[in-house]
């Protein structure tokens, strides 16, 4: 089992920045990738960014150029630097991890472990 705990959410004005962190514990040795997803009220959970253990990164078009995902394998930590935030970025942000290599890197169903989420609110 892998436990994930997010932190760093909050309220920020449009154009501002936030940095999310995710601490992983437990059986992390087999981790294939980790990612960030978000879910706004009344909407489906959507892919934001992901990073494979070897360092390859992936981004949703809506955040490309504004968000940066990074990881620290030694610390079992995952980060999401969010710049130029927009009101439409408002959502609960979830950290996720996967051991399996099947399925798209962007698919929530392909991830095995999830954190509880952290709220990000962007005011206009």
């Amino acid at each position: 089992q892998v436990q994930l705990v997010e932190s760093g959410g909050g309220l920020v004005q449009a154009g501002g920045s936030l940095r999310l962190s995710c601490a992983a514990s437990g059986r992390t040795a087999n981790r294939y990738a980790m990612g960030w997803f978000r879910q706004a009220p009344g909407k489906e959970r959507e892919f934001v960014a992901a990073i494979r253990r070897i360092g390859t990164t992936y981004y949703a078009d809506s955040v490309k150029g504004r968000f940066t995902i990074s990881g620290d394998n030694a610390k079992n930590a995952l980060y999401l630097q969010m710049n130029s935030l927009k009101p439409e970025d408002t959502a609960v942000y979830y950290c996720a991890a996967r051991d399996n290599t099947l399925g798209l890197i962007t698919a929530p169903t392909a991830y095995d472990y999830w954190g509880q989420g952290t709220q990000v609110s962007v005011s206009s």
Side-chain angles (χ1 to χ4, degrees):
Q1 281 286 52
V2 174
Q3 294 78 41
L4 303 172
V5 179
E6 304 98 335
S7 61
L11 174 64
V12 65
Q13 288 189 331
S17 299
L18 281 175
R19 187 187 192 220
L20 304 183
S21 299
C22 174
S25 60
R27 298 172 64 179
T28 61
N30 296 326
R31 190 178 66 242
Y32 166 67
M34 295 187 72
W36 291 97
F37 291 78
R38 65 188 182 186
Q39 188 166 17
K43 295 190 176 181
E44 305 238 334
R45 190 167 298 189
E46 65 173 4
F47 170 76
V48 175
I51 184 168
R52 290 174 59 189
R53 194 178 186 92
I54 59 173
T56 309
T57 57
Y58 307 81
Y59 295 94
D61 287 343
S62 60
V63 307
K64 206 171 290 184
R66 300 188 298 122
F67 290 10
T68 302
I69 189 171
S70 61
D72 187 331
N73 289 336
K75 295 183 178 179
N76 283 325
L78 180 72
Y79 308 100
L80 185 68
Q81 178 65 42
M82 304 186 295
N83 298 328
S84 302
L85 283 161
K86 304 175 181 180
E88 51 263 43
D89 295 317
T90 295
V92 177
Y93 283 69
Y94 296 91
C95 173
R98 56 188 288 183
D99 297 333
N100 76 87
T101 60
L102 301 176
L104 297 175
I105 198 77
T106 58
T109 54
Y111 287 74
D112 303 301
Y113 310 102
W114 292 86
Q116 294 299 307
T118 185
Q119 177 71 46
V120 171
S121 299
V122 184
S123 63
S124 56

